[in-house]
Amino acid sequence: MTIERVAIVGLGLIGGSVGLAVQQMLPGMTTTGWDADADVRQRAAGRRLVGEVCDTVAEAVRGADLVILCVPVGAMGYAAEAIAPHLEPGTIVSDVGSSKRSVGDALAVALPDAIVIPAHPVAGTENSGPDAGFPELFRHRWCIVTPGKNTPPDAVDALTRFWEGLGATVEIMDAEHHDLVLAVTSHIPHLIAYTIVGTASDLEDVTRGEVIKYSAGGFRDFTRIAASNPTMWRDVFLSNRDAVLEVLGRFTEDLSRLQRAIRNGDGDTLFDLFDKTRTIRRSIIEEGQDDARPDFGRGDH
Amino acid sequence: MTIERVAIVGLGLIGGSVGLAVQQMLPGMTTTGWDADADVRQRAAGRRLVGEVCDTVAEAVRGADLVILCVPVGAMGYAAEAIAPHLEPGTIVSDVGSSKRSVGDALAVALPDAIVIPAHPVAGTENSGPDAGFPELFRHRWCIVTPGKNTPPDAVDALTRFWEGLGATVEIMDAEHHDLVLAVTSHIPHLIAYTIVGTASDLEDVTRGEVIKYSAGGFRDFTRIAASNPTMWRDVFLSNRDAVLEVLGRFTEDLSRLQRAIRNGDGDTLFDLFDKTRTIRRSIIEEGQDDARPDFGRGDH
Ligand SMILES: NC(=O)c1ccc[n+]([C@@H]2O[C@H](COP(=O)([O-])OP(=O)(O)OC[C@H]3O[C@@H](n4cnc5c(N)ncnc54)[C@H](OP(=O)(O)O)[C@@H]3O)[C@@H](O)[C@H]2O)c1
Ligand SMILES: NC(=O)c1ccc[n+]([C@@H]2O[C@H](COP(=O)([O-])OP(=O)(O)OC[C@H]3O[C@@H](n4cnc5c(N)ncnc54)[C@H](OP(=O)(O)O)[C@@H]3O)[C@@H](O)[C@H]2O)c1
């Protein structure tokens, strides 16, 4: 199974980055794209995010071997319905959504004749829209692919090679496990960051100006995450509800324990946790998922 | 009141940075230093963190116009007792501790004959020890000074000019308000980051390897904060207990509200919060406390 024509639906941060990356790293492939928003289509054409930005979704997906839906998780079902009448049987349809079980279900229902293989590149920034993408986004990052039990292996192989071509390393996982792992490593961190930024801006005794002024003490790093795309994140929490609530329950228990330790002046409990968490940081740096340099190595982009 | 001789007690990240900064930016001043740990003293001498690393605290503070205590908050009282017998009356004693009310009280008790002016440069990194400091640490950062009601104004002015000389902007505040503001902008963010990193590493269904592998989705940014000096942070939470518990209570209420919104599928509540928090991020960037560049502008150091 060879992929020669890729259609990208949704030309924001992720869709745009996929388009740019394919053109740069897999130059044999043809790319087309479409976005529901006419302004986004125009900007995408201006930045040449894909080889051809089409005026209709029908044109964009016509003859595609692979269609990748790069829209918010809550819009995946609608996007799938929009492409359904225009696909040739046997087309691979994938996506990049941040939660996988609900997306997989929605695509399977809307696209009974396609080969549906959900996927999630674990790479992103806090920016969004057609100006945010860049071709190196997926390099040295993981892409989790969550095929169903009956998905043809050669289609999974083709999608794997595609993501590897963009610089990612592919990991196959079942959708349910994906949703739990990402609840821990991404969804809950975002929820917490949004919450603390909200809390800080609503206090009566500390002004917003003071919060901003003294943000270098730690708060600042949370505001970056809490500046992420609101539509995307609303959809993530609604679509991955069970795993998010499960991990949130654990977090809340652990936080209560620390709260008690502070109230009781129990320094040993605090020290032991603070000491343990350092080792995780070291492993992340060793595995190349972050960088100890002051700029996190992000200057490498 | 002119400061000509500065003694630094505690030669880790902050003490070392002060020493390097004074030598670079205020070359008319003499610097001496001491640390309770002989290995730290040796390393500090090797890196020339101060003009002279002394073998005893008595030597280090002899003839000083300004002594700055740069030890963990919980050790401030001991450090003050150690310097007390060797100070000339009227010496200014300041510190850099991350909480101010309890430190101010401890210094006042131990040093009845000195001019005590607590201070807190709002600048730091997750690293610690005598190898971590660098002279630019305080540049374009705030330094909060919390004098008592009876502190001589010319001493406050002298300390203010000192910090301005290192590149910081000084803000005068009362200690209690400092502790509340910093609970929001620094202490609670650290507590939350430590907690979520701990939670993630204790789950049964998600391995530590998976957490590390997929940390680029948001978790990674928390691990940096949660790699901070455990002794320092234990002391911060114990010494700023009231303000930390107060802000933590607000945070927990807000988190419960979001939890409920997720459980009930209430997307509007989620969207409204996620949208609001973006504006705070923008203000932080506008005020120069962070940077929208992918490396946060940290490459500027
Ligand atoms: N951002 C990240 O860090 C990240 C990382 C990994 C995966 N993801 C996933 O990637 C997907 C896209 O996220 P993104 O960050 O690229 O968001 P984005 O920059 O906002 O791009 C999404 C684009 O899809 C368009 N769109 C919305 N509904 C559509 C529809 N029914 N048909 C066609 N186009 C539609 C949007 O138009 P409008 O803006 O006008 O609505 C927008 O241009 C999401 O599922 C997200 O979970 C994101
Ligand atoms: N790190 C930050 O981001 C930051 C920011 C602003 C303010 N602060 C404050 O700055 C202070 C120092 O923090 P830091 O990050 O510089 O910590 P650090 O790098 O660990 O340095 C503290 C040094 O003080 C030494 N020490 C401990 N007790 C002492 C005593 N009684 N007398 C003399 N030396 C003693 C320590 O020796 P051992 O290591 O052998 O114990 C260590 O070398 C703390 O009060 C902290 O709250 C920190």
Side-chain angles (χ1 to χ4, degrees), chain A residues 9-15 34-37 40 70-73 75-76 79 96-98 120-121 123-125 128-129 229 232 236:
Chain A
V9 176
L11 294 168
L13 168 66
I14 304 291
W34 182 76
D35 193 286
D37 185 324
V40 173
C70 302
V71 302
V73 167
M76 290 290 179
V96 297
S98 303
H120 175 203
T125 76
S128 56
N229 186 340
M232 166 185 161
V236 167

Side-chain angles (χ1 to χ4, degrees), chain A residues 67 69 115 140 146 156 185 229 235 242 269 295:
Chain A
V67 181
L69 304 180
I115 302 175
H140 304 308
T146 62
V156 177
T185 58
N229 186 340
D235 286 3
D242 295 347
T269 295
D295 70 350

Side-chain angles (χ1 to χ4, degrees), chain B residues 115-251:
Chain B
I115 302 176
V116 170
I117 316 178
H120 176 203
V122 185
T125 75
E126 72 276 23
N127 301 315
S128 57
D131 286 308
F134 53 97
E136 301 85 5
L137 181 60
F138 310 109
R139 215 180 255 169
H140 305 308
R141 295 284 162 236
W142 295 90
C143 181
I144 301 177
V145 175
T146 62
K149 275 195 252 357
N150 303 319
T151 314
D154 59 341
V156 177
D157 284 349
L159 187 67
T160 298
R161 282 194 304 274
F162 174 80
W163 278 106
E164 288 172 351
L166 307 192
T169 309
V170 169
E171 186 89 10
I172 308 283
M173 207 182 272
D174 77 61
E176 202 150 338
H177 191 60
H178 166 279
D179 286 358
L180 187 61
V181 171
L182 270 288
V184 180
T185 59
S186 178
H187 307 172
I188 291 295
H190 275 81
L191 190 72
I192 290 169
Y194 278 122
T195 307
I196 180 70
V197 175
T199 304
S201 64
D202 283 345
L203 293 171
E204 306 87 48
D205 301 333
V206 178
T207 67
R208 220 178 249 226
E210 286 174 321
V211 169
I212 291 163
K213 232 164 153 174
Y214 305 116
S215 59
F219 184 74
R220 169 179 77 181
D221 293 3
F222 287 63
T223 64
R224 196 180 66 84
I225 296 188
S228 300
N229 186 338
T231 305
M232 165 185 161
W233 283 100
R234 176 200 61 199
D235 286 4
V236 168
F237 294 115
L238 296 178
S239 67
N240 195 20
R241 192 178 68 168
D242 295 348
V244 164
L245 290 176
E246 159 76 21
V247 179
L248 192 53
R250 301 297 188 97
F251 169 78

Side-chain angles (χ1 to χ4, degrees), chain A residues 11 29 42 51 74 77 85 87 89 92 130 144 150-151 195 220 223 227-228 231 243 264 279 299:
Chain A
L11 294 168
M29 281 185 200
Q42 193 178 356
L87 294 186
I92 302 177
I144 301 176
N150 303 319
T151 314
T195 307
R220 170 178 77 182
T223 64
S228 301
T231 305
N264 298 337
T279 59

Side-chain angles (χ1 to χ4, degrees), chain B residues 102-123:
Chain B
S102 69
V103 170
D105 290 349
L107 300 193
V109 168
L111 300 164
D113 299 328
I115 302 176
V116 170
I117 316 178
H120 176 203
V122 185

Side-chain angles (χ1 to χ4, degrees), chain B residues 12-14 35-37 70-71 73 96-98 121 123-125 128-129 229 232:
Chain B
L13 167 67
I14 303 293
D35 193 286
D37 185 324
C70 303
V71 302
V73 167
V96 296
S98 304
T125 75
S128 57
N229 186 338
M232 165 185 161

